Amino acid sequence: MAEYVFFGGKGGVGKTTVASAYALKCARAGLETLVVSTDPAHSTGDVFDQEFGDDPRPVEGIENLQALEIDPESEVQEHLQETKRALGEQLSPSMAGEIDLQIEMAHRTPGAYEAALLDRFIDVMREADCDRVVFDTSPTGSTLRLLSLPDLLEKWIDRLAHKREKSIDYFEMAAIGEQEPRRVREGDPILARLQGRKERFAFAGEALRESAFYLVCTPDELSVRETERSLSTHREYGLSVAGVVINKRTPEPEAHEEGRGARFLREKVATERERVDEMHDSFDAPIVGEIETRVREVKGDLLEEVAAELAVEI
């Protein structure tokens, strides 16, 4: 089983519940497990009735389990400040103002959120001292953009490094005169930083290719269609989906129950069964869990029940 396990899906399908249940399942099996949430609403804390922060904290009452909650907005701001600092060390003070303006504008563009989050994910994957890291990710679109970044950024860094090397070559040729060439490239801080970034993205790409991805959906048409698209997009990125969890299935009423509520539930269950059958027949990833809706928030004993219903490899 992969060291890193990702749970994704559209908003509102119950990714946090399923990811937390799987993390609990791993911990109960004796694996040192870290569950990582990127949900700004801090739902992981709600599941375990405990506050978490940006550093791993033990989950009270559950051996082998830690959790941390990443604040995406804070990560974007930290990423912005780190970029400003790194460039400020290489540029003259006269250029600092203009560079700051350009960086501020860049961090408002699509993809800045994912780039900042990817950096934090890399830190977590490199620093986590445990057997299993379980990621409860953002809604599908944002997560897929994040997963596509390592390969894209690694190629972009290669182009930047090539341009920097050409610039150094021209500088050296112009500076030779009657002197020996100045080997500016050796020890060049910008090339060194670019190489460091490339190594981070290469690590992320390799880690993601070796990760396990599970999609969470609900038995309604919108969720089924989005899950189909997500399966296709994962294939395009060379990432295989290990399984799909169908969450929030409607419990069927007892045979003797009558009345308006019972009729409604039976019709709803029949419709959902059609959707579930469709998923079993058409998805190229196995269904690894069908979780019924609970009457109260899933935590404590209910989380244990959900964990037991997940046929996900430990």
Side-chain angles (χ1 to χ4, degrees), residues 124-231:
V124 170
M125 288 190 287
R126 278 184 158 177
E127 297 168 8
D129 183 20
C130 57
D131 303 309
R132 185 71 42 80
V133 182
V134 181
F135 288 94
D136 165 27
T137 65
S138 304
T140 305
S142 180
T143 299
L144 289 175
R145 288 193 296 271
L146 184 149
L147 297 179
S148 70
L149 279 178
D151 185 54
L152 175 67
L153 292 175
E154 194 176 349
K155 293 175 181 176
W156 182 62
I157 290 291
D158 280 338
R159 290 195 292 272
L160 287 177
H162 176 71
K163 290 181 180 297
R164 178 63 178 174
E165 289 170 353
K166 295 295 292 184
S167 175
I168 290 172
D169 288 342
Y170 292 143
F171 179 81
E172 289 177 348
M173 286 188 290
I176 289 175
E178 298 179 357
Q179 308 296 323
E180 289 294 318
R182 292 179 57 196
R183 300 310 302 166
V184 179
R185 185 181 301 184
E186 296 175 7
D188 177 65
I190 294 178
L191 278 178
R193 181 168 177 80
L194 290 174
Q195 180 60 33
R197 297 295 287 170
K198 180 180 178 180
E199 290 172 1
R200 282 176 67 83
F201 298 139
F203 165 82
E206 184 65 25
L208 290 174
R209 284 188 289 273
E210 294 179 356
S211 297
F213 295 89
Y214 291 89
L215 297 177
V216 182
C217 68
T218 50
D220 62 85
E221 186 170 2
L222 286 178
S223 184
V224 171
R225 298 294 166 251
E226 176 149 346
T227 304
E228 286 178 334
R229 290 191 292 271
S230 183
L231 285 167

Side-chain angles (χ1 to χ4, degrees), residues 12 17 22 46 81 84 86-87 102 110 144 146 148 166 198 201 220 242 261 273 275 277 302 305 313:
T17 297
Y22 175 69
D46 295 334
Q81 296 305 320
K84 285 183 177 181
L87 286 176
Q102 295 297 327
L144 289 175
L146 184 149
S148 70
K166 295 295 292 184
K198 180 180 178 180
F201 298 139
D220 62 85
R273 188 177 295 116
R275 300 277 181 247
D277 290 343
L302 289 185
E305 290 180 10
E313 186 180 355

Side-chain angles (χ1 to χ4, degrees), residues 11-267:
V13 296
K15 294 186 299 296
T16 298
T17 297
V18 175
S20 298
Y22 175 69
L24 175 64
K25 191 180 182 81
C26 292
R28 294 297 192 211
L31 296 179
E32 290 289 342
T33 304
L34 172 65
V35 58
V36 181
S37 173
T38 60
D39 183 357
H42 304 313
S43 300
T44 305
D46 295 334
V47 170
F48 293 109
D49 273 332
Q50 182 181 341
E51 288 189 5
F52 299 107
D54 194 52
D55 296 312
R57 298 179 187 175
V59 177
E60 295 170 0
I62 302 176
E63 192 176 354
N64 302 322
L65 184 59
Q66 297 184 78
L68 71 83
E69 291 178 332
I70 297 173
D71 184 343
E73 293 303 324
S74 295
E75 292 302 323
V76 170
Q77 289 304 312
E78 288 185 21
H79 191 264
L80 169 66
Q81 296 305 320
E82 168 60 18
T83 304
K84 285 183 177 181
R85 184 197 63 75
L87 286 176
E89 293 175 354
Q90 312 299 331
L91 301 169
S92 64
S94 61
M95 296 181 65
E98 180 61 27
I99 291 298
D100 281 357
L101 176 61
Q102 295 297 327
I103 294 173
E104 290 276 2
M105 292 174 62
H107 274 73
R108 297 192 189 102
T109 60
Y113 169 98
E114 287 80 12
L117 208 53
L118 176 63
D119 255 350
R120 186 71 178 95
F121 273 29
I122 294 172
D123 288 338
V124 170
M125 288 190 287
R126 278 184 158 177
E127 297 168 8
D129 183 20
C130 57
D131 303 309
R132 185 71 42 80
V133 182
V134 181
F135 288 94
D136 165 27
T137 65
S138 304
T140 305
S142 180
T143 299
L144 289 175
R145 288 193 296 271
L146 184 149
L147 297 179
S148 70
L149 279 178
D151 185 54
L152 175 67
L153 292 175
E154 194 176 349
K155 293 175 181 176
W156 182 62
I157 290 291
D158 280 338
R159 290 195 292 272
L160 287 177
H162 176 71
K163 290 181 180 297
R164 178 63 178 174
E165 289 170 353
K166 295 295 292 184
S167 175
I168 290 172
D169 288 342
Y170 292 143
F171 179 81
E172 289 177 348
M173 286 188 290
I176 289 175
E178 298 179 357
Q179 308 296 323
E180 289 294 318
R182 292 179 57 196
R183 300 310 302 166
V184 179
R185 185 181 301 184
E186 296 175 7
D188 177 65
I190 294 178
L191 278 178
R193 181 168 177 80
L194 290 174
Q195 180 60 33
R197 297 295 287 170
K198 180 180 178 180
E199 290 172 1
R200 282 176 67 83
F201 298 139
F203 165 82
E206 184 65 25
L208 290 174
R209 284 188 289 273
E210 294 179 356
S211 297
F213 295 89
Y214 291 89
L215 297 177
V216 182
C217 68
T218 50
D220 62 85
E221 186 170 2
L222 286 178
S223 184
V224 171
R225 298 294 166 251
E226 176 149 346
T227 304
E228 286 178 334
R229 290 191 292 271
S230 183
L231 285 167
S232 176
T233 307
H234 275 78
R235 285 195 300 273
E236 291 173 9
Y237 293 153
L239 305 171
S240 61
V241 175
V244 175
V245 178
I246 304 172
N247 193 30
K248 300 184 180 180
R249 288 208 61 179
T250 302
E252 189 167 5
E254 298 290 341
H256 66 273
E257 292 182 286
E258 298 294 340
R260 180 182 178 188
R263 289 195 300 272
F264 169 80
L265 288 176
R266 286 194 181 93
E267 290 179 10

